[in-house]
Amino acid sequence: MADSSFDIVSKVERQEVDNALNQTAKEISQRYDFKNVGASIAWSGEKILMQANSEDRVKAILDVFESKLIKRGISLKSLDAGEPQLSGKEYKIFASIEEGISQDNAKKVAKIIRDEGPKGVKAQVQGDELRVSSKSRDDLQAVIALLKGKDFDFALQFVNYR
């Protein structure tokens, strides 16, 4: 019998991020506490730019954006937001969406699978994802449960289970 396998990836649905950004922009254009503070949120290349005339307001925009991401099922671990910076008279926050598992993080996950997972489970790094294979589907389920129980500083999804 052939091995069963699944892939561990860290991907973000770009359209969902775009929807969350548009919902945030709509909310800050309508909310009273954002009136006349120059509040805005928009794509700036591959980054997301939030700006307002005070540090508290720009942090509030980030807070609204994070809540919209959560409602859309996007992990905040994939959002990398910087600190508020003063630029002229405005405060700005640049945020980026992190995708893919770095080599170091992939090695950490593979080591956890080797050390704590069932015997006979193999994990191999393939680019920015990790392929986990085993003869037993029950072992693969155990690995998924093990990794869901761990707290990583990056988002994980399990795909291509066969």
Side-chain angles (χ1 to χ4, degrees):
M1 187 175 121
D3 282 3
S4 297
S5 69
F6 68 89
D7 294 334
I8 302 172
V9 297
S10 181
K11 290 198 178 356
V12 176
E13 188 70 41
R14 172 86 179 202
Q15 185 61 50
E16 291 296 326
V17 174
D18 207 33
N19 291 344
L21 186 132
N22 291 335
Q23 285 180 332
T24 304
K26 185 174 182 180
E27 183 170 324
I28 64 177
S29 72
Q30 294 173 344
R31 270 183 37 183
Y32 179 76
D33 57 337
F34 286 117
K35 292 280 188 240
N36 303 322
V37 295
S40 69
I41 181 169
W43 285 104
S44 174
E46 282 298 303
K47 292 189 180 291
I48 298 164
L49 170 65
M50 292 161 261
Q51 56 189 22
N53 66 3
S54 75
E55 189 172 350
D56 292 341
R57 287 292 117 222
V58 79
K59 284 182 178 176
I61 295 170
L62 177 61
D63 195 42
V64 171
F65 183 55
E66 287 175 346
S67 72
K68 299 297 182 194
L69 287 175
I70 291 169
K71 284 183 182 171
R72 295 203 152 272
I74 297 172
S75 172
L76 291 183
K77 292 177 181 176
S78 59
L79 179 70
D80 182 24
E83 289 299 310
Q85 301 166 341
L86 184 60
S87 172
K89 291 183 177 178
E90 291 198 322
Y91 282 88
K92 297 181 178 185
I93 294 180
F94 284 99
S96 60
I97 303 296
E98 302 290 321
E99 285 193 308
I101 302 174
S102 70
Q103 289 290 331
D104 293 342
N105 289 337
K107 287 177 184 173
K108 283 182 205 167
V109 173
K111 182 170 173 31
I112 289 172
I113 292 170
R114 266 197 318 278
D115 295 348
E116 301 175 30
K119 297 290 178 235
V121 175
K122 295 185 287 291
Q124 53 198 160
V125 179
Q126 295 181 334
D128 61 352
E129 56 186 47
L130 198 67
R131 163 95 20 109
V132 180
S133 58
S134 171
K135 294 214 180 298
S136 164
R137 286 180 170 239
D138 291 342
D139 287 350
L140 293 179
Q141 294 286 346
V143 168
I144 290 175
L146 168 75
L147 294 176
K148 281 186 177 177
K150 298 284 182 190
D151 186 33
F152 295 104
D153 56 350
F154 52 96
L156 290 180
Q157 291 91 29
F158 307 100
V159 296
N160 296 338
Y161 184 81
R162 25 174 132 61

